[in-house]
Amino acid sequence: MLGKGGKRKFDEHEDGLEGKIVSPSDGPSKVSYTLQRQTIFNISLMKLYNHRPLTEPSLQKTVLINNMLRRIQEELKQEGSLRPVFPASSQPADSLSDSYREAPAPLSHPASPSAHPCDLGSTTPLEACLTPASLLEDDDDTFCTSPAMPPAAPARVSPPALPPEKDSFSSALDEIEELCPTSTSTEATTVAATDSPKGDSSESSLQKPEGLQEGRPDDSKLMDSLPGNFEITTSTGFLTDLTLDDILFADIDTSMYDFDPCTSTSGTASKMAPVSADDLLKTLAPYSSQPVAPSQPFKMDLTELDHIMEVLVGS
Amino acid sequence: MLADIISTVEFNHTGELLATGDKGGRVVIFQREQESKNQVHRRGEYNVYSTFQSHEPEFDYLKSLEIEEKINKIRWLPQQNAAYFLLSTNDKTVKLWKVSERDKRPEGYNLKDEEGRLRDPATITTLRVPVLRPMDLMVEATPRRVFANAHTYHINSISVNSDYETYMSADDLRINLWNFEITNQSFNIVDIKPANMEELTEVITAAEFHPHHCNTFVYSSSKGTIRLCDMRASALCDRHTKFFEEPEDPSNRSFFSEIISSISDVKFSHSGRYIMTRDYLTVKVWDLNMENRPIETYQVHDYLRSKLCSLYENDCIFDKFECVWNGSDSVIMTGSYNNFFRMFDRNTKRDVTLEASRENSKPRAILKPRKVCVGGKRRKDEISVDSLDFSKKILHTAWHPSENIIAVAATNNLYIFQDKVN
């Protein structure tokens, strides 16, 4: 699904992946695992909230998705309780952007982890990831659960609890800027200046991510507001303290949206509809007034996200 | 037309009739032609016998939600007289339909003329007895009972008891027992709703009565477990008599382990000795006497195991495939994607993949086995996993109770295949 080149092999890490149990200490595999987990988490959230059916949603589906989210949150909570200092991103955007510029080049380069979205994890832990699920699946270590984390595991790449003094939201914006210097900087600064046409929601969404990122025992916030309105629809109840814009806002890494050659040249008309960035944009597009052009990913900008948040949360 | 998507298929107890229900709330019944000595090669084909609108869309004003008219299940009652009876259900309401033939009608009423208009009494000078005269065969379906307002959640199963007096309907959290004659009340025999809905982690996915023991039934769950209950033990069968669960295979664990273990269908064998369950990737046969693991496991489309995240994202992982036994319980059948369906012979351990498609299905053409290629090299006739069409799913199939005739529903087309042996 990642282009027609030779199959990428994750050779150098394969021995760690035998039996499909990922050892938490295995660096890049752990990253991959965390990435996968975050992707699934995001997909699950979107499933619960993007769906406005005319008929009652299936209770079975809702329960299964909720169980998935709970499991992931349990894991995050466990990791959170073990977690150590979080390294400041010493390998900043440069190598990250390098790796993305490299990627469109020979995809047949098998050993290059640079083409691998896992790399996101090493420098921008978990600010990834509306990663196309299909990309993750090409990975040899198919989605796996690690058993209970041994306490010794440094778990470097757990959810973004950046040092409190750092305003992680603006640092995320910085990173985004570095990656997409042209389109995003203006928008980023616009939003940063809270000068958005959507007024309230963007302001609140600005403040909340900061509060959120401040320390991810906000996982506990998530835990508390665990689901539930099974009775009626699933539109309310899952995350009450936190609004959705925190999660979606904080986690969007537009570097993936720039990854155009990758998603567009995945020639094989795979009928499985992999979650390409395109698809994600299209999912969100109905809520926005402008058509979303895949070639300008970040046109689907922050103000439109506000609008979407309003629709999802406010209604 | 979306309304034509077939949502359930069921042969009656003799195999003479085949009923289908669709997303538009319609039921279409096919009848097998009587085999005539004149036309030996027309081996009893199925023709449309009756069509009627079983359920209409409704609106739940309290929740501001539509109630779909889609027919979730049809179950036939055994035939006791000239008429046929079946149960059909949507998400909320079960209905008992009587399907009967009329080939004669009375003529010669005294007070009404042939068009049904009242005659002027002054013109009536003689008394006559109406007589029955033949007419063109008419098949009419009439709703005889409506069993409503008993389910808060969506009905996923109905099952007629072997006593032929009662039946059960199961939704996500509860199972109710009905008497055919009584529509305004039902017994609740299973209730797994937690006091606090936030604690809900498991739902009922399917339920069925034992074919011979009218006190015994099973129900399956979204966590891959099956519970067998005995109604003689207590009125509320919340405590199971037997609990079937296979321990998880640690080497196959993934984020999606729970979801793919959710059982989408459970069926007793005709003998009553086994149950068959379908989860996302496998079909399993369980011996009622062994609770800790199935006696047989068949891989339906294991090549999907590495695609689970995409299938989760596009919701395919929630597709509910059904499974069926053949008349002698020696072969089991279930559907897959790309209009493929699979049959497993329990004795020879051979399996085959077939495709229900227009191109392959000229009358009396022999179905060619298909194969999905998972490795690198694709052979000529094989299809690669990435080329599978996931919108073409075969969820509903049925097997004639005694002969090798199968009905396969592929979206909005019904395929009937017969064994060419005789």
Side-chain angles (χ1 to χ4, degrees), chain A residues 1-3 103-104 107 130-135 255-268 270 274-282 294-295 297:
Chain A
M1 293 181 201
L2 184 68
L107 290 172
L130 292 177
T131 309
S134 55
L135 291 181
S255 47
M256 282 312 295
Y257 294 144
D258 276 350
F259 209 27
D260 276 326
C262 180
T263 54
S264 59
T265 60
S266 63
T268 38
S270 167
V275 185
S276 66
D278 295 3
D279 291 348
L280 282 164
L281 294 178
K282 281 173 195 155
S295 57

PDB file of all heavy atoms in Angstrom, chain A residues 1-3 103-104 107 130-135 255-268 270 274-282 294-295 297:
ATOM      1  N   MET A   1       0.828  -1.195   0.000  1.00  0.00           N
ATOM      2  CA  MET A   1       0.000   0.000   0.000  1.00  0.00           C
ATOM      3  C   MET A   1       0.858   1.237   0.000  1.00  0.00           C
ATOM      4  O   MET A   1       0.401   2.337  -0.212  1.00  0.00           O
ATOM      5  CB  MET A   1      -0.872   0.012   1.251  1.00  0.00           C
ATOM      6  CG  MET A   1      -1.866  -1.115   1.192  1.00  0.00           C
ATOM      7  SD  MET A   1      -2.891  -1.102   2.628  1.00  0.00           S
ATOM      8  CE  MET A   1      -3.462  -2.740   2.627  1.00  0.00           C
ATOM      9  N   LEU A   2       2.116   1.085   0.267  1.00  0.00           N
ATOM     10  CA  LEU A   2       2.988   2.224   0.260  1.00  0.00           C
ATOM     11  C   LEU A   2       3.746   2.232  -1.047  1.00  0.00           C
ATOM     12  O   LEU A   2       4.930   1.980  -1.098  1.00  0.00           O
ATOM     13  CB  LEU A   2       3.946   2.119   1.465  1.00  0.00           C
ATOM     14  CG  LEU A   2       4.861   3.308   1.652  1.00  0.00           C
ATOM     15  CD1 LEU A   2       4.051   4.527   2.056  1.00  0.00           C
ATOM     16  CD2 LEU A   2       5.885   2.998   2.700  1.00  0.00           C
ATOM     17  N   GLY A   3       3.084   2.498  -2.129  1.00  0.00           N
ATOM     18  CA  GLY A   3       3.758   2.581  -3.427  1.00  0.00           C
ATOM     19  C   GLY A   3       4.097   1.213  -3.971  1.00  0.00           C
ATOM     20  O   GLY A   3       3.976   0.184  -3.309  1.00  0.00           O
ATOM     21  N   ALA A 103      11.793  10.475   1.991  1.00  0.00           N
ATOM     22  CA  ALA A 103      10.854   9.371   1.791  1.00  0.00           C
ATOM     23  C   ALA A 103      10.352   9.192   0.374  1.00  0.00           C
ATOM     24  O   ALA A 103      10.318   8.093  -0.129  1.00  0.00           O
ATOM     25  CB  ALA A 103       9.690   9.517   2.743  1.00  0.00           C
ATOM     26  N   PRO A 104      10.003  10.236  -0.303  1.00  0.00           N
ATOM     27  CA  PRO A 104       9.473  10.039  -1.654  1.00  0.00           C
ATOM     28  C   PRO A 104      10.499   9.406  -2.567  1.00  0.00           C
ATOM     29  O   PRO A 104      10.176   8.783  -3.542  1.00  0.00           O
ATOM     30  CB  PRO A 104       9.146  11.450  -2.136  1.00  0.00           C
ATOM     31  CG  PRO A 104       9.060  12.258  -0.906  1.00  0.00           C
ATOM     32  CD  PRO A 104       9.957  11.619   0.098  1.00  0.00           C
ATOM     33  N   LEU A 107      11.589   4.274  -2.614  1.00  0.00           N
ATOM     34  CA  LEU A 107      10.864   3.561  -1.578  1.00  0.00           C
ATOM     35  C   LEU A 107      11.355   2.138  -1.476  1.00  0.00           C
ATOM     36  O   LEU A 107      11.023   1.411  -0.579  1.00  0.00           O
ATOM     37  CB  LEU A 107       9.369   3.554  -1.888  1.00  0.00           C
ATOM     38  CG  LEU A 107       8.697   4.898  -1.740  1.00  0.00           C
ATOM     39  CD1 LEU A 107       7.283   4.815  -2.256  1.00  0.00           C
ATOM     40  CD2 LEU A 107       8.687   5.327  -0.294  1.00  0.00           C
ATOM     41  N   LEU A 130      -2.173  10.963  13.027  1.00  0.00           N
ATOM     42  CA  LEU A 130      -3.291  10.439  12.274  1.00  0.00           C
ATOM     43  C   LEU A 130      -2.615   9.734  11.126  1.00  0.00           C
ATOM     44  O   LEU A 130      -2.722  10.089   9.976  1.00  0.00           O
ATOM     45  CB  LEU A 130      -4.199  11.561  11.823  1.00  0.00           C
ATOM     46  CG  LEU A 130      -4.896  12.190  13.024  1.00  0.00           C
ATOM     47  CD1 LEU A 130      -5.761  13.353  12.625  1.00  0.00           C
ATOM     48  CD2 LEU A 130      -5.779  11.170  13.724  1.00  0.00           C
ATOM     49  N   THR A 131      -1.872   8.746  11.501  1.00  0.00           N
ATOM     50  CA  THR A 131      -1.075   8.040  10.501  1.00  0.00           C
ATOM     51  C   THR A 131      -1.977   7.128   9.706  1.00  0.00           C
ATOM     52  O   THR A 131      -2.807   6.455  10.280  1.00  0.00           O
ATOM     53  CB  THR A 131      -0.038   7.156  11.205  1.00  0.00           C
ATOM     54  OG1 THR A 131       0.666   7.952  12.141  1.00  0.00           O
ATOM     55  CG2 THR A 131       0.918   6.555  10.207  1.00  0.00           C
ATOM     56  N   PRO A 132      -1.768   7.102   8.446  1.00  0.00           N
ATOM     57  CA  PRO A 132      -2.560   6.147   7.673  1.00  0.00           C
ATOM     58  C   PRO A 132      -2.359   4.753   8.224  1.00  0.00           C
ATOM     59  O   PRO A 132      -1.244   4.295   8.366  1.00  0.00           O
ATOM     60  CB  PRO A 132      -1.978   6.254   6.264  1.00  0.00           C
ATOM     61  CG  PRO A 132      -1.371   7.596   6.218  1.00  0.00           C
ATOM     62  CD  PRO A 132      -0.930   7.928   7.597  1.00  0.00           C
ATOM     63  N   ALA A 133      -3.453   4.128   8.537  1.00  0.00           N
ATOM     64  CA  ALA A 133      -3.365   2.807   9.143  1.00  0.00           C
ATOM     65  C   ALA A 133      -2.658   1.842   8.224  1.00  0.00           C
ATOM     66  O   ALA A 133      -1.962   0.946   8.655  1.00  0.00           O
ATOM     67  CB  ALA A 133      -4.760   2.297   9.475  1.00  0.00           C
ATOM     68  N   SER A 134      -2.805   2.048   6.942  1.00  0.00           N
ATOM     69  CA  SER A 134      -2.208   1.109   6.009  1.00  0.00           C
ATOM     70  C   SER A 134      -0.704   1.152   6.093  1.00  0.00           C
ATOM     71  O   SER A 134      -0.033   0.159   5.942  1.00  0.00           O
ATOM     72  CB  SER A 134      -2.649   1.438   4.597  1.00  0.00           C
ATOM     73  OG  SER A 134      -2.330   2.795   4.335  1.00  0.00           O
ATOM     74  N   LEU A 135      -0.150   2.315   6.331  1.00  0.00           N
ATOM     75  CA  LEU A 135       1.297   2.402   6.441  1.00  0.00           C
ATOM     76  C   LEU A 135       1.781   1.592   7.614  1.00  0.00           C
ATOM     77  O   LEU A 135       2.784   0.913   7.556  1.00  0.00           O
ATOM     78  CB  LEU A 135       1.729   3.859   6.629  1.00  0.00           C
ATOM     79  CG  LEU A 135       1.540   4.759   5.414  1.00  0.00           C
ATOM     80  CD1 LEU A 135       2.036   6.151   5.738  1.00  0.00           C
ATOM     81  CD2 LEU A 135       2.293   4.198   4.227  1.00  0.00           C
ATOM     82  N   SER A 255       2.993  17.033   9.396  1.00  0.00           N
ATOM     83  CA  SER A 255       4.056  16.523   8.539  1.00  0.00           C
ATOM     84  C   SER A 255       3.572  15.342   7.733  1.00  0.00           C
ATOM     85  O   SER A 255       4.011  15.112   6.627  1.00  0.00           O
ATOM     86  CB  SER A 255       5.268  16.138   9.374  1.00  0.00           C
ATOM     87  OG  SER A 255       4.848  15.367  10.470  1.00  0.00           O
ATOM     88  N   MET A 256       2.648  14.634   8.278  1.00  0.00           N
ATOM     89  CA  MET A 256       2.111  13.514   7.517  1.00  0.00           C
ATOM     90  C   MET A 256       1.309  14.009   6.334  1.00  0.00           C
ATOM     91  O   MET A 256       1.272  13.380   5.299  1.00  0.00           O
ATOM     92  CB  MET A 256       1.229  12.633   8.413  1.00  0.00           C
ATOM     93  CG  MET A 256       2.023  11.717   9.313  1.00  0.00           C
ATOM     94  SD  MET A 256       3.309  10.820   8.463  1.00  0.00           S
ATOM     95  CE  MET A 256       2.357   9.808   7.377  1.00  0.00           C
ATOM     96  N   TYR A 257       0.640  15.116   6.509  1.00  0.00           N
ATOM     97  CA  TYR A 257      -0.168  15.608   5.399  1.00  0.00           C
ATOM     98  C   TYR A 257       0.701  16.052   4.246  1.00  0.00           C
ATOM     99  O   TYR A 257       0.264  16.125   3.118  1.00  0.00           O
ATOM    100  CB  TYR A 257      -1.039  16.767   5.847  1.00  0.00           C
ATOM    101  CG  TYR A 257      -2.080  16.340   6.857  1.00  0.00           C
ATOM    102  CD1 TYR A 257      -2.445  17.180   7.894  1.00  0.00           C
ATOM    103  CD2 TYR A 257      -2.672  15.093   6.767  1.00  0.00           C
ATOM    104  CE1 TYR A 257      -3.388  16.785   8.802  1.00  0.00           C
ATOM    105  CE2 TYR A 257      -3.610  14.700   7.684  1.00  0.00           C
ATOM    106  CZ  TYR A 257      -3.972  15.554   8.703  1.00  0.00           C
ATOM    107  OH  TYR A 257      -4.897  15.173   9.611  1.00  0.00           O
ATOM    108  N   ASP A 258       1.931  16.390   4.576  1.00  0.00           N
ATOM    109  CA  ASP A 258       2.829  16.789   3.503  1.00  0.00           C
ATOM    110  C   ASP A 258       3.328  15.608   2.725  1.00  0.00           C
ATOM    111  O   ASP A 258       3.953  15.742   1.702  1.00  0.00           O
ATOM    112  CB  ASP A 258       4.047  17.508   4.085  1.00  0.00           C
ATOM    113  CG  ASP A 258       3.729  18.962   4.307  1.00  0.00           C
ATOM    114  OD1 ASP A 258       2.671  19.394   3.843  1.00  0.00           O
ATOM    115  OD2 ASP A 258       4.550  19.643   4.946  1.00  0.00           O
ATOM    116  N   PHE A 259       3.051  14.481   3.244  1.00  0.00           N
ATOM    117  CA  PHE A 259       3.640  13.281   2.693  1.00  0.00           C
ATOM    118  C   PHE A 259       2.896  12.861   1.446  1.00  0.00           C
ATOM    119  O   PHE A 259       2.501  11.724   1.289  1.00  0.00           O
ATOM    120  CB  PHE A 259       3.543  12.193   3.756  1.00  0.00           C
ATOM    121  CG  PHE A 259       4.623  11.176   3.657  1.00  0.00           C
ATOM    122  CD1 PHE A 259       5.853  11.479   3.110  1.00  0.00           C
ATOM    123  CD2 PHE A 259       4.405   9.891   4.098  1.00  0.00           C
ATOM    124  CE1 PHE A 259       6.841  10.547   3.031  1.00  0.00           C
ATOM    125  CE2 PHE A 259       5.396   8.948   4.030  1.00  0.00           C
ATOM    126  CZ  PHE A 259       6.621   9.272   3.500  1.00  0.00           C
ATOM    127  N   ASP A 260       2.688  13.805   0.583  1.00  0.00           N
ATOM    128  CA  ASP A 260       1.805  13.577  -0.561  1.00  0.00           C
ATOM    129  C   ASP A 260       2.231  12.477  -1.502  1.00  0.00           C
ATOM    130  O   ASP A 260       1.449  11.620  -1.822  1.00  0.00           O
ATOM    131  CB  ASP A 260       1.666  14.875  -1.364  1.00  0.00           C
ATOM    132  CG  ASP A 260       0.601  15.750  -0.748  1.00  0.00           C
ATOM    133  OD1 ASP A 260      -0.363  15.194  -0.236  1.00  0.00           O
ATOM    134  OD2 ASP A 260       0.785  16.958  -0.763  1.00  0.00           O
ATOM    135  N   PRO A 261       3.468  12.523  -1.934  1.00  0.00           N
ATOM    136  CA  PRO A 261       3.854  11.514  -2.921  1.00  0.00           C
ATOM    137  C   PRO A 261       3.587  10.119  -2.425  1.00  0.00           C
ATOM    138  O   PRO A 261       3.258   9.229  -3.163  1.00  0.00           O
ATOM    139  CB  PRO A 261       5.354  11.750  -3.102  1.00  0.00           C
ATOM    140  CG  PRO A 261       5.577  13.119  -2.600  1.00  0.00           C
ATOM    141  CD  PRO A 261       4.554  13.386  -1.564  1.00  0.00           C
ATOM    142  N   CYS A 262       3.704   9.996  -1.144  1.00  0.00           N
ATOM    143  CA  CYS A 262       3.502   8.670  -0.582  1.00  0.00           C
ATOM    144  C   CYS A 262       2.072   8.235  -0.714  1.00  0.00           C
ATOM    145  O   CYS A 262       1.761   7.187  -1.219  1.00  0.00           O
ATOM    146  CB  CYS A 262       3.911   8.682   0.890  1.00  0.00           C
ATOM    147  SG  CYS A 262       3.683   7.087   1.633  1.00  0.00           S
ATOM    148  N   THR A 263       1.175   9.063  -0.244  1.00  0.00           N
ATOM    149  CA  THR A 263      -0.215   8.618  -0.249  1.00  0.00           C
ATOM    150  C   THR A 263      -0.796   8.621  -1.638  1.00  0.00           C
ATOM    151  O   THR A 263      -1.652   7.840  -1.971  1.00  0.00           O
ATOM    152  CB  THR A 263      -1.082   9.525   0.641  1.00  0.00           C
ATOM    153  OG1 THR A 263      -0.889  10.871   0.214  1.00  0.00           O
ATOM    154  CG2 THR A 263      -0.649   9.404   2.082  1.00  0.00           C
ATOM    155  N   SER A 264      -0.323   9.526  -2.482  1.00  0.00           N
ATOM    156  CA  SER A 264      -0.971   9.575  -3.789  1.00  0.00           C
ATOM    157  C   SER A 264      -0.414   8.557  -4.747  1.00  0.00           C
ATOM    158  O   SER A 264      -1.047   8.195  -5.706  1.00  0.00           O
ATOM    159  CB  SER A 264      -0.849  10.972  -4.388  1.00  0.00           C
ATOM    160  OG  SER A 264       0.528  11.293  -4.506  1.00  0.00           O
ATOM    161  N   THR A 265       0.788   8.102  -4.514  1.00  0.00           N
ATOM    162  CA  THR A 265       1.328   7.115  -5.450  1.00  0.00           C
ATOM    163  C   THR A 265       1.098   5.698  -4.986  1.00  0.00           C
ATOM    164  O   THR A 265       1.666   4.770  -5.508  1.00  0.00           O
ATOM    165  CB  THR A 265       2.832   7.295  -5.677  1.00  0.00           C
ATOM    166  OG1 THR A 265       3.492   7.149  -4.413  1.00  0.00           O
ATOM    167  CG2 THR A 265       3.145   8.637  -6.286  1.00  0.00           C
ATOM    168  N   SER A 266       0.326   5.537  -4.005  1.00  0.00           N
ATOM    169  CA  SER A 266       0.023   4.164  -3.605  1.00  0.00           C
ATOM    170  C   SER A 266      -0.922   3.593  -4.625  1.00  0.00           C
ATOM    171  O   SER A 266      -2.042   3.248  -4.353  1.00  0.00           O
ATOM    172  CB  SER A 266      -0.586   4.133  -2.218  1.00  0.00           C
ATOM    173  OG  SER A 266      -1.817   4.817  -2.221  1.00  0.00           O
ATOM    174  N   GLY A 267      -0.394   3.525  -5.817  1.00  0.00           N
ATOM    175  CA  GLY A 267      -1.180   3.204  -7.000  1.00  0.00           C
ATOM    176  C   GLY A 267      -2.226   2.131  -6.872  1.00  0.00           C
ATOM    177  O   GLY A 267      -3.368   2.336  -7.193  1.00  0.00           O
ATOM    178  N   THR A 268      -1.817   0.999  -6.384  1.00  0.00           N
ATOM    179  CA  THR A 268      -2.758  -0.132  -6.361  1.00  0.00           C
ATOM    180  C   THR A 268      -4.086   0.304  -5.772  1.00  0.00           C
ATOM    181  O   THR A 268      -4.184   0.605  -4.595  1.00  0.00           O
ATOM    182  CB  THR A 268      -2.227  -1.264  -5.479  1.00  0.00           C
ATOM    183  OG1 THR A 268      -1.580  -0.680  -4.353  1.00  0.00           O
ATOM    184  CG2 THR A 268      -1.276  -2.131  -6.258  1.00  0.00           C
ATOM    185  N   SER A 270      -6.272  -0.014  -3.898  1.00  0.00           N
ATOM    186  CA  SER A 270      -6.622  -0.940  -2.843  1.00  0.00           C
ATOM    187  C   SER A 270      -8.045  -0.683  -2.427  1.00  0.00           C
ATOM    188  O   SER A 270      -8.391   0.409  -2.020  1.00  0.00           O
ATOM    189  CB  SER A 270      -5.686  -0.746  -1.654  1.00  0.00           C
ATOM    190  OG  SER A 270      -6.211  -1.414  -0.540  1.00  0.00           O
ATOM    191  N   PRO A 274      -7.470   2.377   2.612  1.00  0.00           N
ATOM    192  CA  PRO A 274      -6.580   2.671   3.742  1.00  0.00           C
ATOM    193  C   PRO A 274      -6.796   4.090   4.205  1.00  0.00           C
ATOM    194  O   PRO A 274      -7.211   4.941   3.447  1.00  0.00           O
ATOM    195  CB  PRO A 274      -5.185   2.494   3.163  1.00  0.00           C
ATOM    196  CG  PRO A 274      -5.353   2.612   1.704  1.00  0.00           C
ATOM    197  CD  PRO A 274      -6.725   2.146   1.391  1.00  0.00           C
ATOM    198  N   VAL A 275      -6.524   4.306   5.462  1.00  0.00           N
ATOM    199  CA  VAL A 275      -6.732   5.647   5.976  1.00  0.00           C
ATOM    200  C   VAL A 275      -5.593   6.520   5.524  1.00  0.00           C
ATOM    201  O   VAL A 275      -4.613   6.669   6.224  1.00  0.00           O
ATOM    202  CB  VAL A 275      -6.768   5.641   7.496  1.00  0.00           C
ATOM    203  CG1 VAL A 275      -7.115   6.999   8.021  1.00  0.00           C
ATOM    204  CG2 VAL A 275      -7.769   4.614   7.959  1.00  0.00           C
ATOM    205  N   SER A 276      -5.706   7.047   4.373  1.00  0.00           N
ATOM    206  CA  SER A 276      -4.682   7.989   3.970  1.00  0.00           C
ATOM    207  C   SER A 276      -5.062   9.333   4.549  1.00  0.00           C
ATOM    208  O   SER A 276      -6.180   9.551   4.994  1.00  0.00           O
ATOM    209  CB  SER A 276      -4.606   8.072   2.457  1.00  0.00           C
ATOM    210  OG  SER A 276      -5.815   8.623   1.969  1.00  0.00           O
ATOM    211  N   ALA A 277      -4.088  10.194   4.536  1.00  0.00           N
ATOM    212  CA  ALA A 277      -4.366  11.529   5.024  1.00  0.00           C
ATOM    213  C   ALA A 277      -5.525  12.119   4.244  1.00  0.00           C
ATOM    214  O   ALA A 277      -6.355  12.838   4.771  1.00  0.00           O
ATOM    215  CB  ALA A 277      -3.121  12.396   4.880  1.00  0.00           C
ATOM    216  N   ASP A 278      -5.573  11.782   2.975  1.00  0.00           N
ATOM    217  CA  ASP A 278      -6.678  12.236   2.141  1.00  0.00           C
ATOM    218  C   ASP A 278      -8.017  11.857   2.723  1.00  0.00           C
ATOM    219  O   ASP A 278      -8.926  12.663   2.814  1.00  0.00           O
ATOM    220  CB  ASP A 278      -6.584  11.597   0.746  1.00  0.00           C
ATOM    221  CG  ASP A 278      -5.361  12.064   0.011  1.00  0.00           C
ATOM    222  OD1 ASP A 278      -4.587  12.816   0.614  1.00  0.00           O
ATOM    223  OD2 ASP A 278      -5.197  11.673  -1.145  1.00  0.00           O
ATOM    224  N   ASP A 279      -8.102  10.606   3.085  1.00  0.00           N
ATOM    225  CA  ASP A 279      -9.383  10.128   3.591  1.00  0.00           C
ATOM    226  C   ASP A 279      -9.777  10.856   4.854  1.00  0.00           C
ATOM    227  O   ASP A 279     -10.932  11.187   5.074  1.00  0.00           O
ATOM    228  CB  ASP A 279      -9.310   8.632   3.890  1.00  0.00           C
ATOM    229  CG  ASP A 279      -9.200   7.839   2.608  1.00  0.00           C
ATOM    230  OD1 ASP A 279      -9.411   8.432   1.539  1.00  0.00           O
ATOM    231  OD2 ASP A 279      -8.888   6.661   2.689  1.00  0.00           O
ATOM    232  N   LEU A 280      -8.784  11.084   5.681  1.00  0.00           N
ATOM    233  CA  LEU A 280      -9.083  11.777   6.930  1.00  0.00           C
ATOM    234  C   LEU A 280      -9.598  13.171   6.644  1.00  0.00           C
ATOM    235  O   LEU A 280     -10.542  13.642   7.260  1.00  0.00           O
ATOM    236  CB  LEU A 280      -7.833  11.845   7.791  1.00  0.00           C
ATOM    237  CG  LEU A 280      -7.541  10.544   8.503  1.00  0.00           C
ATOM    238  CD1 LEU A 280      -6.126  10.537   9.014  1.00  0.00           C
ATOM    239  CD2 LEU A 280      -8.524  10.337   9.634  1.00  0.00           C
ATOM    240  N   LEU A 281      -8.950  13.800   5.694  1.00  0.00           N
ATOM    241  CA  LEU A 281      -9.389  15.139   5.362  1.00  0.00           C
ATOM    242  C   LEU A 281     -10.800  15.115   4.828  1.00  0.00           C
ATOM    243  O   LEU A 281     -11.620  15.957   5.146  1.00  0.00           O
ATOM    244  CB  LEU A 281      -8.449  15.752   4.330  1.00  0.00           C
ATOM    245  CG  LEU A 281      -7.029  16.006   4.830  1.00  0.00           C
ATOM    246  CD1 LEU A 281      -6.189  16.563   3.712  1.00  0.00           C
ATOM    247  CD2 LEU A 281      -7.049  16.979   5.984  1.00  0.00           C
ATOM    248  N   LYS A 282     -11.066  14.134   4.022  1.00  0.00           N
ATOM    249  CA  LYS A 282     -12.397  14.066   3.447  1.00  0.00           C
ATOM    250  C   LYS A 282     -13.433  13.789   4.513  1.00  0.00           C
ATOM    251  O   LYS A 282     -14.562  14.246   4.432  1.00  0.00           O
ATOM    252  CB  LYS A 282     -12.461  12.989   2.361  1.00  0.00           C
ATOM    253  CG  LYS A 282     -11.868  13.473   1.066  1.00  0.00           C
ATOM    254  CD  LYS A 282     -11.788  12.353   0.043  1.00  0.00           C
ATOM    255  CE  LYS A 282     -10.865  12.751  -1.089  1.00  0.00           C
ATOM    256  NZ  LYS A 282     -10.297  11.621  -1.765  1.00  0.00           N
ATOM    257  N   PRO A 294      -6.473  17.862  -1.343  1.00  0.00           N
ATOM    258  CA  PRO A 294      -5.424  17.042  -0.725  1.00  0.00           C
ATOM    259  C   PRO A 294      -4.038  17.598  -0.908  1.00  0.00           C
ATOM    260  O   PRO A 294      -3.143  17.316  -0.136  1.00  0.00           O
ATOM    261  CB  PRO A 294      -5.540  15.691  -1.436  1.00  0.00           C
ATOM    262  CG  PRO A 294      -6.826  15.722  -2.134  1.00  0.00           C
ATOM    263  CD  PRO A 294      -7.234  17.136  -2.324  1.00  0.00           C
ATOM    264  N   SER A 295      -3.869  18.394  -1.924  1.00  0.00           N
ATOM    265  CA  SER A 295      -2.522  18.884  -2.141  1.00  0.00           C
ATOM    266  C   SER A 295      -2.180  20.041  -1.220  1.00  0.00           C
ATOM    267  O   SER A 295      -1.060  20.475  -1.137  1.00  0.00           O
ATOM    268  CB  SER A 295      -2.371  19.319  -3.600  1.00  0.00           C
ATOM    269  OG  SER A 295      -3.357  20.308  -3.867  1.00  0.00           O
ATOM    270  N   PRO A 297      -2.712  20.295   2.294  1.00  0.00           N
ATOM    271  CA  PRO A 297      -3.238  19.667   3.511  1.00  0.00           C
ATOM    272  C   PRO A 297      -3.550  20.646   4.616  1.00  0.00           C
ATOM    273  O   PRO A 297      -4.568  20.548   5.250  1.00  0.00           O
ATOM    274  CB  PRO A 297      -2.138  18.702   3.957  1.00  0.00           C
ATOM    275  CG  PRO A 297      -1.014  18.905   3.050  1.00  0.00           C
ATOM    276  CD  PRO A 297      -1.398  19.775   1.925  1.00  0.00           C
TER     277      PRO A 297
END
